[in-house]
Structures are given as C-alpha cells and as structure tokens.
C-alpha cells in the first residue's frame, strides 16, 4: 500500500486557499493508494471565532474531498476540519474511498486543554474504524495519541494501520516521537502521523521509522509492507499474551 502524507502548513482562516493547496498536492500524489491530510487543514489551527469558519455538518468539505477522490481514484484520510452540528463544534476527521464514498467520520475525543480546545469544541464519543484497499484501519487525532488506553481500544478491533492527523508543535517533538513509536510497538500496528507543523512520519509495528519528513511543506510517501507486521506478531504476539481481566481498566 502506497501512502502519501500531504504535509503543509495551512494559512489561518483562508479556507479557499487551503482547499486549492490540497487539490494541487493531491494531483501531485495521485499515484498513491492513500493520501493523508493533517489536522484542521482547511482553516489552520485554529481561527477564532470558530463559528465563522465552521463547516455545517462538514458538508462542503465532504463534497470537496469526495470530488478529489473520484477524480484521481485515490483513498483520502482527510485529516480533520471544524464541523458544526446541532450548534456544537467538533474537530472532525473524514475518510473517503477512491470512489468518493464517505467511509467514516471521527470527532476528536481528547481535547487539548492547554490550547483551549475544551472551551471551543465538543468531544467525540466513539472510535472509528474503516477498510481501505482490504485493510482495516483506524483514525485518531493529534492529542488522542497521548492516551494509550484509547489507542489500545482501537487496536483491539483488529486494525493494521492507525492514521493520526495532527497539528503538533515541534516544541514538543521529543515526547511525540516517543509516543508514535510506543503506540506502534505496543499495539503492533503501522502508524501514519500527518503533521502540519512538520516531521510527519510512518512507523512500522517494530517501532522503526519507515519514512520521515522534514519541517517544511512536503509530500511524504511510503510503501507499507504488511509482511513486516506478520513477522513481528509471529515472533511476539502482544495482544494474544494480554491478561484481559487484569489489563482491563
């Protein structure tokens, strides 16, 4: 599976400009199986008041992403956008198939209090999984990565890849690099981290970096070899060796 992360820093509040950037980058990465966008790619992280920049039920974004997916026959993990629903605002991830079908939406569960997200957004209340090219995948957004119980819950559904769109400051690069590796190792999954601030990466189930971006705008492309996961699990099957009664929270 060929995956391309569209790493770019969106212009704050410039929705049409950011849509145009994504259309251009998608065309450049159209030979991929999956394209991945960062967190809040359409608005930047994050303009205020959010109501001014929110997409009602994420309809405009969904239509745009669906059109791109169909045009280039590529699956798109469309990061996240500001969505308004029932007078609430959500940091909403969208996943679209190569035929233009919206496969799932995911509302960010863990809101980053340090950046005031809890005062602006409502939290999601469920995990989201989906199939891409015959592979079961999951999605989490940025700060979700710091909660191992949550990621483990997603992993226990049987996913092979976890996509993590983010707007993670490089000031906190060191702990983030530990977290991406830890989540991949302990759950024996591939982890694709798509970060608007830079240093996006793909981690394999052994915790090794398969591909890593720099700090500027870049298309990071990596070929996922699923045989690696099979070999890792054959040597040490962590999920099979769990003690569910004691490990359950």
């Amino acid at each position: 599976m060929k995956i391309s992360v569209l790493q770019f820093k969106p212009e704050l509040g410039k929705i049409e400009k950011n849509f145009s950037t994504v259309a251009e980058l998608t065309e450049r990465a159209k030979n991929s199986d999956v394209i991945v966008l960062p967190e809040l790619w359409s608005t930047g992280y994050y303009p205020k008041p959010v109501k001014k920049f929110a997409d009602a039920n994420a309809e405009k974004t969904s239509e745009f992403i669906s059109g791109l997916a169909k045009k280039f026959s590529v699956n798109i993990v469309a990061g996240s956008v500001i969505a308004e629903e029932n007078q609430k605002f959500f940091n909403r991830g969208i996943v679209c198939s190569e035929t233009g079908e919206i496969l799932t939406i995911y509302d960010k569960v863990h809101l980053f209090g340090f950046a005031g997200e809890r005062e602006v957004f409502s939290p999601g209340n469920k995990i989201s999984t989906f199939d891409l090219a015959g592979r079961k995948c999951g999605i989490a957004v940025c700060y979700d990565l710091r909660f191992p119980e949550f990621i483990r819950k997603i992993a226990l559904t049987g996913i092979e890849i976890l996509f993590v769109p983010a707007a993670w400051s490089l000031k906190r690069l060191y702990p983030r690099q530990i977290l991406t590796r830890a989540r991949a190792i302990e759950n024996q999954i591939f982890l694709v981290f798509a970060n608007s601030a830079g240093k996006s990466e793909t981690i394999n189930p052994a915790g090794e970096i398969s591909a890593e971006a720099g700090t500027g705008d870049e298309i990071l492309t990596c070929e996922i070899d699923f045989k690696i996961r099979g070999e890792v699990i054959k040597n040490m099957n962590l999920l099979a060796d769990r003690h569910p009664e004691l490990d359950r929270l």
Side-chain angles (χ1 to χ4, degrees):
M1 180 184 286
K2 186 177 180 181
I3 296 176
S4 288
V5 171
L6 307 187
Q7 176 179 289
F8 74 101
K9 190 171 182 61
E11 294 190 31
L12 193 66
K14 302 291 182 63
I15 294 175
E16 295 304 323
K17 177 65 167 62
N18 295 327
F19 270 40
S20 178
T21 297
V22 166
E24 177 187 342
L25 293 175
T26 299
E27 183 168 15
R28 287 170 53 190
K30 63 184 178 182
N31 292 325
S32 303
D33 298 305
V34 183
I35 286 174
V36 192
L37 306 182
E39 179 182 20
L40 298 186
W41 58 267
S42 66
T43 59
Y45 184 90
Y46 55 91
K48 300 176 182 178
V50 294
K51 183 173 180 61
K52 179 180 177 181
F53 303 94
D55 184 0
N57 298 310
E59 289 179 1
K60 179 179 179 180
T61 305
S62 297
E63 182 179 353
F64 170 70
I65 291 298
S66 178
L68 281 181
K70 284 190 288 188
K71 180 178 180 180
F72 298 114
S73 297
V74 64
N75 301 290
I76 303 179
V77 179
S80 72
V81 298
I82 300 172
E84 182 176 9
E85 185 175 328
N86 297 325
Q87 299 183 318
K88 294 181 179 179
F89 301 100
F90 298 91
N91 188 334
R92 177 165 292 176
I94 301 168
V95 180
C96 186
S97 77
E98 62 185 356
T99 63
E101 176 189 1
I102 301 301
L103 298 176
T104 194
I105 62 170
Y106 164 70
D107 292 329
K108 185 177 181 180
V109 169
H110 299 93
L111 301 177
F112 190 28
F114 179 79
E117 286 186 21
R118 289 201 303 265
E119 284 71 54
V120 176
F121 296 101
S122 295
N125 58 12
K126 64 178 182 179
I127 64 172
S128 291
T129 62
F130 49 95
D131 288 336
L132 289 182
R135 301 289 180 173
K136 189 167 185 178
C137 308
I139 183 171
V141 174
C142 202
Y143 193 50
D144 285 328
L145 190 66
R146 288 186 179 268
F147 298 86
E149 307 93 337
F150 180 70
I151 304 301
R152 172 55 57 85
K153 185 173 183 179
I154 302 172
L156 287 173
T157 68
I159 66 167
E160 297 177 82
I161 308 174
L162 179 68
F163 294 97
V164 185
W168 197 297
S169 171
L170 295 186
K171 294 178 181 178
R172 291 180 285 277
L173 176 62
Y174 177 68
R176 196 275 293 161
Q177 289 175 324
I178 294 174
L179 290 167
T180 48
R181 288 155 182 74
R183 298 295 90 88
I185 292 168
E186 67 198 7
N187 295 297
Q188 298 184 308
I189 55 175
F190 291 93
L191 193 149
V192 179
F193 185 82
N195 193 32
S196 61
K199 304 300 284 186
S200 299
E201 61 183 3
T202 299
I203 308 294
N204 72 24
E208 300 163 340
I209 301 172
S210 302
E212 183 180 32
T215 58
D217 292 358
E218 179 179 343
I219 297 175
L220 177 70
T221 299
C222 178
E223 193 79 36
I224 296 289
D225 183 358
F226 290 96
K227 289 186 294 185
I228 294 174
R229 182 169 184 264
E231 292 166 0
V232 168
I233 293 174
K234 182 179 179 180
N235 290 330
M236 186 187 302
N237 193 331
L238 297 180
L239 297 188
D241 290 339
R242 291 173 63 246
H243 192 312
E245 291 304 316
L246 291 179
D247 291 343
R248 185 180 298 117
L249 294 177

